[in-house]
Amino acid sequence: MKSLSITLLVTFLISLTFFSFKSNLHIEDDEDYDTLNFQSMNISGIKLGTNYGVILEKLGTPDSVRKEETPDAQTSNHFEMYLYGKDAFFVVDENVSGFELITSKYNLQNLGGLKVGDAMNKVKKRFPKSYKLRDVDNTVDDWVTTVSVQFGVSDSFLEITVQNDKIVGLATVTDDGMEE
């Protein structure tokens, strides 16, 4: 009788372990990408979602400002690109709505100072789910990898472009490829 109780107990514990392992795997599979909070993005002191005046306050007068058409704006039909050298900050409805960085001049402070020129390993460690889903373009001589990190449950992403194991670009995009 005692051995039957022990056998049942061991069987129960093994079953419990198996089912708990299986359900943990299922929970992890529910989320495809790593996620970020849009308002927490801090690019060298410029927070996304704040008034565009912070760009001028932190960086001074841009080299140029370009106005582009967009269907994404809430109250207007355009966005503006504030260009500082090769880097750009996007403004929609007077708020900082995104960026495209291709130099190491600016960093993502809320992501440990992540910037252009950092090693791919830094991205892999910080965003393991997104890294698994990375897009690799092997049609060019030096393979280009894009790691997408989702802003909450939106269709907007932080895209990290890597070539030769180094970050070559950081940008905000929507799922149709347009800047935020």
Side-chain angles (χ1 to χ4, degrees):
M1 184 69 162
K2 190 173 185 179
S3 71
L4 178 63
S5 297
I6 292 174
T7 303
L8 287 174
L9 179 62
V10 169
T11 304
F12 174 75
L13 291 174
I14 290 172
S15 298
L16 182 64
T17 303
F18 175 76
F19 286 118
S20 94
F21 178 75
K22 185 176 179 181
S23 65
N24 281 344
L25 286 177
H26 179 69
I27 290 170
E28 287 179 19
D29 288 341
D30 284 346
E31 294 183 34
D32 292 334
Y33 296 96
D34 294 287
T35 59
L36 293 169
N37 179 329
F38 182 80
Q39 277 79 23
S40 72
M41 291 300 299
N42 184 334
I43 307 92
S44 296
I46 300 166
K47 285 192 145 208
L48 293 183
T50 59
N51 184 279
Y52 76 99
V54 73
I55 297 172
L56 303 174
E57 179 185 311
K58 298 284 183 183
L59 307 179
T61 304
D63 297 333
S64 65
V65 177
R66 285 198 331 227
K67 194 175 200 177
E68 301 280 336
E69 298 289 323
T70 181
D72 296 335
Q74 295 170 13
T75 60
S76 65
N77 62 357
H78 71 278
F79 71 92
E80 295 174 330
M81 295 175 62
Y82 285 65
L83 300 166
Y84 290 87
K86 296 179 181 180
D87 300 307
F89 291 86
F90 305 114
V91 174
V92 175
D93 300 329
E94 297 188 1
N95 291 312
V96 181
S97 63
F99 55 88
E100 182 176 6
L101 308 175
I102 57 176
T103 72
S104 61
K105 186 173 182 180
Y106 306 104
N107 68 73
L108 306 182
Q109 291 178 323
N110 62 304
L111 299 178
L114 189 70
K115 67 181 184 215
V116 171
D118 283 348
M120 171 64 133
N121 199 32
K122 194 171 181 179
V123 175
K124 183 178 177 180
K125 284 180 183 177
R126 184 169 286 278
F127 304 113
K129 291 181 204 175
S130 295
Y131 180 79
K132 285 182 187 177
L133 297 171
R134 69 191 178 278
D135 180 34
V136 179
D137 180 1
N138 59 1
T139 60
V140 292
D141 290 338
D142 297 320
W143 290 19
V144 175
T145 301
T146 304
V147 176
S148 299
V149 184
Q150 191 170 16
F151 288 116
V153 293
S154 73
D155 62 350
S156 298
F157 295 84
L158 166 64
E159 278 199 353
I160 305 167
T161 306
V162 178
Q163 191 170 18
N164 295 326
D165 287 328
K166 296 280 184 203
I167 297 173
V168 295
L170 298 162
T172 53
V173 299
T174 59
D175 66 352
D176 63 358
M178 300 212 24
E179 289 86 5
E180 277 245 4

